[in-house]
Structure formats: C-alpha cells, structure tokens
Amino acid sequence: MNGTAHEKVNAGHLKRNAYLYIRQSTLRQVFENTESTLRQYDLRQRAVALLGWPTERVIVIDSDLGQSAATAADREGFQKLVTEVSLEKAGIVLGLEVSRLARNSTDWHRLLEICALTDTLILDEDGLYDPRHFNDRLLLGLKGAMSEAELHVIRARLQGGILNKARRGELECPLPVGFIYNSEGRPILDPDKQVQESLRFFFDAFRRTGSACAVVKAFRHQGLLFPQRLKKGPNKGELLWAELIHSRALYILHNPRYAGAFVYGRNRTRVRPDGRVTYTKVPREQWTLFQNVHPGYVSWGQYEENLQRLRDNAYANGQDRRKSPPREGPALLQGLAVCGVCGSRMTVRYHARQTKIVPEYACQRDGADHIISVCQHVFGEHLDQAVGQLLIDTVTPLALEVTLTVQQEMQARLDEVDRLRQKQVERARYEADLAQRRYLHVDPANRLVADSLEADWNQKLRALKAAQEQYEEQRKNDQAAISEQQRASIVALAHDFPLLWQNPKTPDRERKRLVRLLLEDVTLIQNEEITAHVRFKGGIAKTLTLPRPLNSWEGRTTPASVVNEIDRLLDHYTELEIAGILNERGVRSGDGKTFNSRAVARVRSKYQLKSRYDRLREKGMLTLEEMADRLQLTPICVRAWRDHGLLKAYPVSDRNIWLYDDPGPDPPRKAQGIKLSERRRFPENITQGPQEVQYEA
C-alpha cells in the first residue's frame, strides 16, 4: 500500500466500520474454489494492519456465497451493504475484485454514487479508491464496465456452444417424464412399463374425449395416478406418482418430445428489474426442430392433430366459438349452430322453465362488439327435438355398427385401465420385496438399522395390501359396469336406434358426440317460423321448417277456446259458477292453474267481454230500486218476494246483486192473510228455505 493510499484514509473514515463483502457465483465454486474464498477473507487483515481499522470494526458480509452478481435482486448481503453505506455507517468497502461486488453497471454505479455522497472509500486487490475523486471514479467505472463485459463474454461462449449443439440436435436437454437417456446419450422410452402404459392411456383418453379436462376427469374417475420426475431438490430425478392436474395435461399435449422430435428455443426468458424471470412463447418458425429423432408415444401427425383439437377447443373462448368440446348441457347443437343472418357462430344460453332447463341459441357476437341488440335468438327445445328426429330417420341403418363400435371401445377402455392398475400393484409388490431383501441382509445385531428397515418393510406391505384391495374393488366395479346382461341389452338396442337415442339414461354429452360425427353445422333463420338448414358430413343438406315457439307470456295466455266458452257462459252464470263449471271439466288457465272468480274476471276484462250485468240489462231487466218503484214496495219486500218465488230474478255477481224480469201488466199484488209460499210463481228462483212472513194485502 503506497503513501498516496494512506493519505485518503482520515480520522472520519476510521470512526466508522469497514465492510468486507465476500461472494462466490455458485455453490460449486464455494466448495471447490476455496483458495479464492481465502483470498477474500485475507482482505480483513489488510484493513487492520495497513489502514488502521480495529479488528472489531471490520464487519464481514458473506451471506451471498453461491449467488451470481448479475443482479442485486436476490443478494441480501449486497442490499445490506448498500443500506449501511447510505446510512453513513461504512468508512470503507472491501472487495477482492469489482466483479465480487457487482457485474451489472446499474448496481455498480449506484454503489459508487452512494459512496461518493457518504465519503466512503473502496478497496480492492489493486489499491484504494475515493469515489469523490474524478480519476478514482473513472478507473472504478472502467473496472465495472470490464466486469460486465467479462460476464457477457462468458455467457456468449456458453450460449454459443449450446446453440451449436442444438442446431445439430445433439444437445442433452432435460427430458419429460416417460423418457430417459441411455448409455450413449440418446433418448429412449422409460423402461418402466407402468410409466409407458400411463402415457399411452393419457393419449388414448384424449383421442376419445378431445378435451384435456376430460382426460383429467378420466384419471380421477378411474383412481389412476400419473408419473412425474422431480426437477430440483435433494431428490432430483426421482420418479413420483401423483394426481394428474390440468396444467400438466396441457404441457404434455403441447410438448413435441412425446412425438419423438427434438426441439429447442420454444420459450425466451427475460429478467425483469425486480429479478423475476418471465417466459415468452416463440413462434414455431423460430424453433430448432428435428422430427423423428427418437421413439415417441404418438406420431407427428397425431401430435399436430392434438394441437388442432386444443385450438378448436380454445375457440369456445374466442371469436368464432367453433367446435368447442361437448358439454353437459342439453343443447344438442352446441358449437354447431350458425346464424343465417350474419354467419357467426351462435352461443348457448339456458333458461329454467318450470322443472326443466331449456336451451336458447343466440347470435351475440356483433351485439357484444358494437353494443347493439343480438342478431337473433332461437329457442332450442323444439329445434333439438326436430334435429334428433331427423337423425333417427337418417342414420337408422348405421345403428348396429355404431353400437357395436361403442361396446368394443368401452370394453377396450376397461381392459386398458385394468392393466394400469395391475402395474400399480406390481410396483407396490416390488417395493415390498425390495424392503424385505434390505431387511434380511442387515446384521440382526445392528438393531438401530434393523428396526428402521423392519418399519419400512411393514409400511411397504401395508401399501401393497391397500393397492391389492383397491385393484380388486375397482375390478369388481368394472365387471359390474358391463355385465353379460348389459352387453345383451346393448346389442338389442343396436336394432332400435330411436330407443337408444331417446333413452333418458343416455347422457347429453354422448348425444352431442353422435351429432358431431354426423353433422357439419346447422344454419338457423327465424322469421315468422324457424328455418334450419342441416348440413351432414359429406355435403348432404336437409331443410327443416318449424313454427316459431311461443314466448313466455304467450305460453301463459288463456286459449281462445276457453275465452269463447267463458263468453258463452256469461249469458247464464255468474263468474263464480263459471269457475266451478270449468274446473269440473278439467279446463286450466294459461299458466296451468285452476279457475276462480277472480281469474274469470281477469279474462273478461282482458278480452273486453260484456259483463253479466250488461248482458241482462240489455234484455230489459230491472234493478232492485226500479222493481221497488214499479210495484210500490220497499226493497226489503222486493227481496222477500224474490226469495219466495213471486218475482223472476237472476244473480248478476257473487255479491248478492240481482236483476229482475219485468212482471208485465199483471204483477203480483199484496194479499193480506195469504202466506207468500202459497202465492209462489217461480220456484226455481228460491235461494233459501221459505219464510212464513205475512205481509199486508
């Protein structure tokens, strides 16, 4: 250390702490390059012997051992150093090289700026620097730029070698589960038969269902586990069995490795300012891709077909909404209905009507894009029934072949699942046998090891027993699922396709799959009636014309025949009597309910029918007051004469309102001494028992 360096250290610097920052880029360097670590620790003696710092004031920060200096995001030690410097607690910062502190110009110059503001010195193996001096700061800046350039050169060399091997297809990339490298460094199928059978069942299930979600449900329904290999941690490379999840299913379907291809450069990484790494998908044109490099589980054509099916499924969330996988709803034309007005795919809505779910096909693409009303919407209940009847009439000759194919596929599916379960039992048996051999080979006197191996053996035996019981139970359920009687039923149904189609036990999803095998699309146009242009696979087209279904309010409208009958009955009966007559006949209102006087009154008011009062008045009948004036009686006397049959009267409403026939030129007169019951003229007019009341003549 020269005299100029000693002049840079003053009493103010010595009053503060000296911080020694120690770092190695990887854990491998920490364990193997020990000499470099010792050289960094030796800087502490320099600060004590040559610069005069007390030993207790030299603080060592070595928490970043095994961390790269490319960024400060994950380096807690460097962040602590910057914090101490900014708080003016540091008099000097010690580092063997600039690259130990930072290999990033942003982090390095930020540290220099803070050191200059807080009068903090920097010491490396070459000398002592004061960031406040221009010459020292210029030299430190050059060293930082060279450190960053050195990292760039190292990365460029490594990346160049990787890209060169990738362009030849010889780069050993991490293989997905189901593949391993052989002794020659070539990818081969995993020799574990259970792994191979699981992956083949996976691709067969996707071929049958056409949906990644359906594949996950198939594994869960059958109680099957899926293999995976740990990519990091102390058990890196170990094979584990866990439940299949949707994201992993998509990863397998998108990975070209399963088609026997070598691929490199599918994703591009970028480090964000906060240190996190983001991944961007690269177009296939920019990949390094070689087909048929090693064995695969599917062919390249099947891989392309799987990707196309996934893209078709994704259209359900896109603009076209085309060929989305069949769902559980009852809409038979889901994904097949096309608007005959604008040509867009129609979506499905569901409405609850009474006790059932009714589908509706709506063209809402333009409505959502331009904030306008929907192009058209068609209720699908009667439309689906008509299309189903069309299929029954069209494909009946093919019913036998379709049914037998379904039966064979179901049996093959169960046999494949049974083989996978057998592999699980075999694996559990192998692990139990392995644990047994380990226990038998240990020295019995070494009880510490023997007890541990015996416990592991017992655990493996319990796992084997559980696997066997589960296998037997599932196998019994599978045999019960397709018994001989059910096979005979399937063959019998093959001769009657309509019965198979209309069977309520047939799931809606299976009906939709049958429709998609036969139909290309259905174009709908709704005016005064619904026109459906059905296009079959192969180009054959048929047109269906259906009456427009009634709206909800139209469906609750009282039938015209009932209205006419109410109009006729109003000539002879009150509203309460009419309700009783209709209920006796079993007639119901528009919403399916029984009639009462209020319901009859609503129908009369809505359809502007003449009331019974108006009808009787038009016939010249008199009110109570008019009859009292005509006979020169009180209203009470008129009611009494009516009740005893002296006057002809008709009930108008249910509130004891009556209208009276004109008595003519010979009306009844008062007759004192004669009972009213003896003077009765109209017995049908009596509404209650005769009252022996004597009126004066």
Side-chain angles (χ1 to χ4, degrees), residues 122-166:
I122 295 179
L123 174 69
D124 66 3
E125 192 176 30
D126 296 330
L128 181 66
Y129 310 95
D130 188 349
R132 295 181 303 169
H133 296 171
F134 174 77
N135 292 332
D136 289 356
R137 189 163 180 170
L138 177 62
L139 182 57
L140 290 173
L142 290 174
K143 285 191 171 185
M146 293 175 62
S147 176
E148 186 176 23
E150 181 185 6
L151 181 62
H152 169 74
V153 172
I154 294 174
R155 285 180 174 175
R157 291 174 179 172
L158 295 176
Q159 191 68 20
I162 292 174
L163 290 176
N164 193 36
K165 294 190 69 174

Side-chain angles (χ1 to χ4, degrees), residues 174-186:
L175 294 174
V177 65
F179 298 96
I180 63 171
Y181 284 107
N182 60 10
S183 58
E184 299 177 355
R186 297 182 178 276

Side-chain angles (χ1 to χ4, degrees), residues 338-516:
V338 179
C339 177
V341 177
C342 66
S344 301
R345 292 280 166 173
M346 303 182 74
T347 58
V348 179
R349 301 174 180 172
Y350 290 104
H351 304 277
R353 286 193 174 181
Q354 296 180 354
T355 59
K356 60 181 179 180
I357 302 298
V358 178
E360 177 189 15
Y361 302 102
C363 176
Q364 58 183 2
R365 175 180 176 183
D366 290 339
D369 291 342
H370 305 292
I371 317 301
I372 58 177
S373 59
V374 296
C375 185
Q376 65 173 349
H377 57 88
V378 180
F379 287 100
E381 181 179 10
H382 300 293
L383 176 63
D384 289 351
Q385 294 176 0
V387 174
Q389 186 62 42
L390 176 64
L391 294 177
I392 291 174
D393 298 337
T394 305
V395 303
T396 300
L398 303 177
L400 178 60
E401 181 180 354
V402 171
T403 308
L404 293 179
T405 302
V406 171
Q407 178 188 0
Q408 294 173 0
E409 182 177 353
M410 293 174 63
Q411 186 61 45
R413 191 183 309 176
L414 290 177
D415 293 341
E416 187 174 2
V417 172
D418 185 71
R419 287 195 299 271
L420 282 176
R421 295 199 186 101
Q422 286 181 351
K423 298 296 182 183
Q424 290 182 351
V425 175
E426 291 177 4
R427 177 175 295 277
R429 182 177 292 107
Y430 166 75
E431 293 179 352
D433 294 342
L434 180 61
Q436 180 184 10
R437 290 195 298 271
R438 288 174 178 172
Y439 173 73
L440 295 177
H441 290 169
V442 73
D443 186 1
N446 191 354
R447 297 308 307 168
L448 295 177
V449 178
D451 291 344
S452 177
L453 294 178
E454 184 179 9
D456 182 64
W457 183 21
N458 293 332
Q459 181 181 0
K460 298 299 183 182
L461 289 176
R462 287 191 293 267
L464 174 60
K465 182 179 179 181
Q468 288 176 337
E469 292 177 352
Q470 183 180 7
Y471 170 73
E472 295 296 335
E473 181 180 359
Q474 292 290 344
R475 187 175 185 182
K476 187 181 301 183
N477 293 337
D478 292 344
Q479 291 176 353
I482 300 183
S483 61
E484 291 298 331
Q485 182 179 1
Q486 290 172 334
R487 288 192 180 94
S489 300
I490 292 175
V491 175
L493 286 176
H495 298 279
D496 192 358
F497 183 76
L499 183 60
L500 176 64
W501 178 268
Q502 298 169 1
N503 188 355
K505 295 183 179 180
T506 303
D508 293 327
R509 176 178 287 184
E510 300 303 327
R511 288 193 181 93
K512 293 181 184 180
R513 289 176 179 168
L514 290 175
V515 170
R516 290 172 181 236

Side-chain angles (χ1 to χ4, degrees), residues 9 16 63 139 156 227 231 409 444 447 553 572 625:
V9 180
R16 291 182 281 178
S63 58
L139 182 57
K231 295 184 178 181
E409 182 177 353
R447 297 308 307 168
W553 65 271
H572 308 284
E625 291 77 11

